[in-house]
């Protein structure tokens, strides 16, 4: 469904998500509850992409509540960011704020899906509510996190370039040694 969502073929993406929901609802296997929660979240994502925010909210809340039943409240908070973001998109800033805060804490706790966008949305929410010091605080946090990610990418690219350079040098040295060895063998043959 993710591939179809990226291609903006929402009907096909929804078809696969619905099949996943059907499968995890009717079959008994170990991961069926986790798959169901993930499917509800995916369905919410597809609705957000299409601007159907009420439907998205319904499925995000379903994912959140089912995940609480499955893994407890702290892990369930991970799903609250989507709820908060959808409420934010609807202009319901006061309702969105607690969900955004809890969702970000949940994502920080799980160390999954952390991005500057999370903090930037929270910053915008505070700005809409007129709390400018908090808006600036989280805009700075978003900016700082973005810089951190960029620096990590730069360091990774530098490491890859060093490895590539060292490999090329080694390959050149081996090629030069092979030429010398060939020349030595020729000289010995001629002698």
């Amino acid at each position: 469904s993710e591939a179809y969502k990226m291609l903006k073929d929402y009907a096909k993406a929804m078809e696969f998500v619905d099949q996943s929901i059907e499968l995890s609802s009717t079959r008994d296997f170990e991961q069926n509850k986790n798959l169901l929660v993930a499917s509800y979240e995916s369905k919410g994502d597809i609705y957000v992409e299409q601007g159907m925010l009420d439907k998205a909210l319904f499925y995000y809340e379903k994912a959140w509540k089912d995940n609480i039943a499955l893994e407890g409240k702290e892990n369930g908070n991970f799903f609250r960011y989507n709820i908060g973001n959808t409420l934010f998109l609807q202009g319901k800033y006061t309702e969105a704020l607690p969900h955004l805060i809890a969702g970000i804490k949940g994502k920080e706790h799980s160390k999954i899906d952390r991005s500057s966008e999370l903090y930037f949305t929270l910053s915008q929410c505070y700005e809409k509510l007129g709390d400018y010091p908090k808006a600036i605080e989280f805009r700075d946090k978003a900016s700082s996190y973005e810089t951190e990610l960029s620096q990590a990418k730069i360091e990774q690219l530098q490491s890859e370039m060093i490895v590539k350079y060292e490999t090329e040098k080694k390959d050149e040295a081996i090629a030069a040694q092979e030429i010398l060895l060939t020349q030595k063998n020729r000289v010995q043959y001629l002698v």
Side-chain angles (χ1 to χ4, degrees):
S1 79
E2 285 301 310
Y4 283 112
K5 194 171 81 174
M6 287 170 67
L7 292 169
K8 301 207 183 303
D9 186 345
Y10 302 118
K12 214 49 163 160
M14 194 65 80
E15 186 182 316
F16 280 100
V17 170
D18 286 339
Q19 284 176 13
S20 178
I21 289 170
E22 173 70 21
L23 178 71
S24 54
S25 299
T26 58
R27 303 269 160 63
D28 187 24
F29 55 96
E30 195 177 328
Q31 265 73 38
N32 70 339
K33 297 282 189 209
N34 288 321
L35 179 60
L36 192 58
V37 168
S39 298
Y40 288 148
E41 184 181 29
S42 291
K43 199 159 178 150
D45 292 345
I46 294 166
Y47 281 128
V48 165
E49 290 277 331
Q50 298 175 91
M52 298 177 182
L53 301 179
D54 287 333
K55 286 184 176 184
L57 198 55
F58 174 81
Y59 284 100
Y60 285 148
E61 286 176 346
K62 216 163 167 37
W64 173 40
K65 287 171 184 164
D66 281 14
N67 200 69
I68 288 172
L70 189 63
E71 297 193 32
K73 191 172 184 178
E74 192 171 290
N75 286 330
N77 280 341
F78 179 90
F79 292 89
R80 289 182 69 185
Y81 176 81
N82 291 331
I83 295 168
N85 188 51
T86 306
L87 290 166
F88 175 80
L89 292 171
Q90 290 178 322
K92 298 174 182 174
Y93 308 120
T94 305
E95 290 177 58
L97 189 62
H99 288 290
L100 289 172
I101 293 167
I104 288 170
K105 283 182 182 170
K107 286 175 185 276
E108 285 175 343
H109 174 73
S110 68
K111 293 183 173 61
I112 299 172
D113 193 28
R114 289 178 63 219
S115 73
S116 58
E117 183 188 330
L118 306 177
Y119 303 112
F120 187 68
T121 303
L122 183 57
S123 168
Q124 287 180 306
C125 193
Y126 275 119
E127 186 178 333
K128 296 287 186 185
L129 292 169
D131 190 340
Y132 300 111
K134 282 280 188 193
I136 290 167
E137 176 188 335
F138 284 99
R139 185 157 293 147
D140 288 349
K141 192 163 188 167
S143 178
S144 166
Y145 190 68
E146 193 65 37
T147 303
E148 197 178 297
L149 285 176
S150 296
Q151 190 60 42
K153 284 179 187 173
I154 289 167
E155 287 171 10
Q156 182 183 353
L157 286 171
Q158 285 174 335
S159 294
E160 288 172 7
M161 287 174 66
I162 288 167
V163 168
K164 186 178 176 186
Y165 175 73
E166 292 297 328
T167 303
E168 285 174 1
K169 275 178 53 179
K170 194 183 289 183
D171 290 346
E172 286 173 11
I174 290 169
Q177 286 174 349
E178 285 176 358
I179 290 168
L180 279 173
L181 189 60
T182 303
Q183 287 174 345
K184 264 186 182 178
N185 288 342
R186 234 185 247 148
V187 168
Q188 282 179 347
Y189 177 75
L190 289 171
V191 168

